[in-house]
Amino acid sequence: MHRISIPKGARAVLLNLRYENHEAYVVGGCVRDSLLGKEPKDWDICTSATPDEVKELMHRRGIKTIDTGLQHGTVTVDMGTVGKYEVTTFRIDGNYTDGRHPDYVEFTESIYKDLSRRDFTINAMAYSAEEGLIDPFGGRDDLAAHLVRAVGEPERRFEEDALRILRLYRFAARFGFAIDPATGAAARALGPHLDCVSAERIQEELLKLLAAPRPRSYLEPAVLAVVLPELEPEKQPGRFAELCRTIDRIEPTAENVPTRLAALLCPLGEAGARKALRKLKCSNALTDEVTALVGEGAGSFLLGHESGARPIACGNRVPPQRTVLGETPGTPNTTLTVQVKRLLGRYELPTIQRLTALCSARHPEQTRAFAALRAEAERLTAENACCRVSQLAVNGRDLMAAGVRPGPGLRQVLNALLEAVITGQTPNEKDALLAAAAQFSAS
């Protein structure tokens, strides 16, 4: 029998329930992750005890409980320093009229009936030290086969809750598993049912999918056609396939999820991407970051950021003879430094790091050039190089004290000083800047 190491707090909850002659098991994702040799994030517990029984017996032992979701049979048991654990009564779900939530739930004393309502076999397992693994639908075998398969009839599972369609691809992508053919066919056929899922939940699942190691194979065109119809994944399969390849080239870190999202939305342009992100109810911060990446595009800043220059559209290819920032091979690195300083004047370092990752993925032949740009941005940031007016050794008060009149002209002088510092004409030192400001004001 495979033994699962249950943490102290969860083990205490199970023992308290079983001491009162209730069945109790850890269930779902924690069992799945334990069998995969991964550390579970949460330990959920299911039991034959009703919520009132759970609360009463825990209170008798001086243990606090929180009414988390009584309508669905869930109580959170607060074990203090060893954690909080959700305890849910075995249940059977009623009809799903809205395609997302059961109209009602019925409590049951059968762990098998409870597991039968769950989405995928790998999530429909329970465990206790006394009884071992409860696995009526072959979840352990599917884990061994690296397969995601629906419990029972896949059409019914997805009709009950359309969000499960996105969860299917997210779980498969997370673990690098294959999708059971019948389950995949049902997900594609029932993709239009996603219109009953809230934008916030769609966004959450999409971002988790993009955080997977290699999401390319799991960005299903039939599903994306519903979630992001603007991309036209089924009408333009070649373009969509290239987007997916680009996404896989971007390192799978939490910091790069906005980068991967920008790679997906690049064909829409800045305005189209912003509209799509708003439709998905993304935060303002994420929307601004992704649209900045899309707006700069795959190599727009390669040709330099001269004052007033307009970024090149995202879909444009960089001329093969050009390298970073308009340099040609073998030229001095001063141009790179100047242009990177200008970029740092517009964006924080994490945005530039994402931008170089995006451009490297879209233009692999320029990877070394983008790596040089990123390294230069990191070097300048570490050295606290002056890239913004706020970093100048003088401010508006200093200039006014030196005789520069307040008003629009003051800002113009500050901008001129910044340009002089960026290009190396003037050191970022107070006396030198005041002398240069006097010249600018006199001219």
Side-chain angles (χ1 to χ4, degrees), residues 76-228:
T76 296
V77 177
D78 186 351
M79 298 299 292
T81 58
V82 290
K84 294 183 175 68
Y85 300 91
E86 287 192 357
V87 179
T88 302
T89 304
F90 300 157
R91 76 181 201 221
I92 304 170
D93 293 342
N95 294 327
Y96 286 71
T97 303
D98 66 356
R100 276 290 289 118
H101 310 96
D103 297 338
Y104 60 90
V105 299
E106 292 181 359
F107 297 146
T108 177
E109 294 185 352
S110 169
I111 178 61
Y112 296 95
K113 289 182 179 180
D114 182 87
L115 294 175
S116 69
R117 69 179 175 81
R118 295 175 184 264
D119 51 7
F120 308 114
T121 60
I122 61 174
N123 297 331
M125 296 181 284
Y127 175 86
S128 71
E130 294 79 8
E131 298 178 50
L133 185 67
I134 309 296
D135 180 21
F137 304 105
R140 179 164 56 179
D141 289 341
D142 285 344
L143 283 179
H146 292 185
L147 186 71
V148 182
R149 180 167 57 92
V151 171
E153 301 175 11
E155 292 85 359
R156 181 177 179 181
R157 295 286 86 82
F158 297 138
E159 287 171 349
E160 289 171 343
D161 183 358
L163 185 65
R164 288 171 174 168
I165 296 171
L166 292 178
R167 284 167 58 84
L168 168 69
Y169 294 100
R170 191 248 294 180
F171 278 123
R174 175 184 172 187
F175 299 118
F177 284 7
I179 293 174
D180 166 66
T183 302
R188 291 189 295 273
L190 295 172
H193 286 218
L194 285 164
D195 63 1
C196 67
V197 179
S198 71
E200 292 87 350
R201 294 308 302 274
I202 289 175
Q203 174 214 145
E204 179 183 357
E205 291 296 328
L206 178 60
L207 295 181
K208 288 180 179 178
L209 173 54
L210 290 174
R214 290 188 172 274
R216 167 185 169 185
S217 301
Y218 306 98
L219 289 164
E220 170 57 50
V223 174
L224 267 293
V226 178
V227 174
L228 288 168

Side-chain angles (χ1 to χ4, degrees), residues 399-414:
L399 296 184
M400 287 188 288
V404 180
R405 294 181 179 180
L410 182 63
R411 170 56 60 176
Q412 292 174 2
V413 172
L414 285 169

